[in-house]
Structure formats: C-alpha cells, structure tokens
Amino acid sequence: MKHRVMIVEDQTMPRQLFELRIASSEHFEVAISIDNAAMADIYCLRYPVDLILMDVITRNGESGLDAAARIKRAFPGIKIVIVTSMPECSYISRARAIGVESFWYKEEQREGLMEVMERTMQGESIYPDATPELRLGLASSYDLTERELEVLREMTGGDTNQEIAARLHMSVATVKTHILNMLGKTGFRNRTELAVRARESGLVILERRT
C-alpha cells in the first residue's frame, strides 16, 4: 500500500513538481494538494494522510510551521517534512521544537526530496546541518550571533530601539550595541540599510504573533 501524501505549497510550479514526483513513485501517492496551510489540519480529518510536505510560508502569509504544530497536537502519527527555500535562521529550531520529523531546503540540501520522504517514513529524522550561508554586506550570515539575529529580525519591522528592547527583554543600550556590532561586521552605513538588506535576503523574516 502506498503512503498517502498531503502537499501544502502555494507556488504553482513547485507544487506541480511535487505532484509529478509523487505520482511516479512506487511508494507514495497524492491524497490532496493545497496552497494554504490555514486549513491543513482540517483537511487531515477528511483525507487520511501519512506524510505532509509543508511549505513554511503559504498563501495569504499563512504559516506552515503554525499548521504543523496544530497537526502534531491533533494527529501525532502523521509525519511532516518542512520544505522551504527561505533561509530564515529560526525555522530549523522551530521545526524541531514542534516535533517535525524532517526539514528540506528546496535548493540547498544534498538529499533529494523523495529520499528524504522515504527515510522519514522509515522512522528517520532528516535535517540539514545548517541554514544556507548568505552574504550580508561584508559579512557572512554565520558571522552574526543568535542574539544579533534576534535584534535584526525585529529591526526589519521598523521598530525603535526602545520597542525592540521591550520585546526581547534587554536594555536599550544592549540593543544599540548589537546594532553597532552588526554595522561593523556588514559595513552598512546605518540601521535602515542593514534592516532593508536583511529583509531582502530572507535571512530574517518577522512574524508578528497575536
């Protein structure tokens, strides 16, 4: 019996490619293919599935990670593979914390998608060793500390130092220090340029949760 797969992907070409790969597989079949993660957990009630290919950012900005968390709570037996082209540095740790089995970068990962799906269904957990390396001005994304990246993520929303300090539970002086350190590493002239370039690169993606 073939494993039934739900595809959650908002871009037409990747979704069709996933469908074609699965259709030609001996071990998998497409149960349903949708473009919005908002209803993914509801569809699990109507379409019994064994594995979900879940994009991180789907139609209307709906979060695949939030949907994965709901599915893991309601259907812990369903295995999930997060698929994304976005290098946002927090996605891997968030997926692990949720209990997602595997994580696959569309352009970067050595293993092919079908191999990751096969190994996931066999009980393995397949994650990349690291996020893709990006250039941010003069710096590599690996040159920035985890705390600097947290500040940088908040900066992309246009918040003041005071607002960032309150949200991240640190002093305004510490926020300023992190920003100065990042400016020194990247060579950018000011915080606006730093924030804009970081947002454009996809290194940090701000999600406001209510």
Side-chain angles (χ1 to χ4, degrees):
M1 182 179 295
K2 292 186 176 182
H3 301 300
R4 296 158 296 184
V5 181
M6 175 190 291
I7 300 170
V8 186
E9 166 65 65
D10 66 330
Q11 295 184 350
T12 301
M13 288 187 64
R15 186 170 69 250
Q16 291 177 344
L17 181 59
F18 295 159
E19 291 169 0
L20 288 171
R21 288 182 179 178
I22 292 170
S24 64
S25 167
E26 296 180 358
H27 302 132
F28 296 93
E29 63 183 6
V30 177
I32 183 173
S33 184
I34 59 177
D35 65 359
N36 192 328
M39 299 291 289
D41 52 329
I42 305 301
Y43 279 116
C44 287
L45 292 169
R46 297 180 54 191
Y47 298 89
V49 296
D50 305 301
L51 178 71
I52 299 175
L53 301 182
M54 180 77 76
D55 195 8
V56 174
I57 301 177
T58 68
R59 187 166 61 85
N60 298 330
E62 293 291 343
S63 169
L65 287 169
D66 289 348
R70 294 194 301 272
I71 290 166
K72 277 298 177 187
R73 288 194 296 268
F75 309 95
I78 296 177
K79 297 182 184 295
I80 300 175
V81 178
I82 293 292
V83 294
T84 185
S85 58
M86 304 301 292
E88 214 300 338
C89 50
S90 69
Y91 287 164
I92 288 179
S93 59
R94 286 178 58 193
R96 286 188 187 278
I98 289 166
V100 166
E101 280 75 15
S102 297
F103 193 109
W104 186 75
Y105 282 115
K106 295 175 185 176
E107 288 87 10
E108 299 285 339
Q109 199 156 321
R110 291 188 302 272
E111 298 88 351
L113 176 60
M114 299 309 298
E115 178 187 349
V116 171
M117 292 168 61
E118 294 271 9
R119 292 171 63 185
T120 299
M121 291 308 301
Q122 291 168 7
E124 291 189 60
S125 182
I126 313 299
Y127 272 75
D129 295 331
T131 57
E133 183 178 13
L134 299 178
R135 298 303 302 181
L136 193 62
L138 302 176
S140 160
S141 54
Y142 295 166
D143 295 332
L144 303 183
T145 68
E146 183 175 344
R147 205 58 167 151
E148 287 170 350
L149 289 167
E150 290 179 359
V151 171
L152 185 56
R153 186 178 297 108
E154 298 297 330
M155 287 171 60
T156 64
D159 286 352
T160 65
N161 290 351
Q162 288 78 8
E163 290 169 328
I164 294 172
R167 187 167 290 113
L168 297 181
H169 308 291
M170 61 176 65
S171 70
V172 174
T174 300
V175 171
K176 290 180 179 179
T177 298
H178 285 314
I179 293 172
L180 288 173
N181 287 341
M182 287 188 285
L183 289 173
K185 292 175 182 179
T186 61
F188 292 137
R189 294 167 296 177
N190 53 59
R191 58 173 285 149
T192 300
E193 185 179 12
L194 173 61
V196 168
R197 296 293 182 85
R199 184 171 60 239
E200 290 174 347
S201 73
L203 173 61
V204 286
I205 299 172
L206 183 63
E207 297 179 41
R208 292 292 191 215
R209 292 187 175 83
T210 56

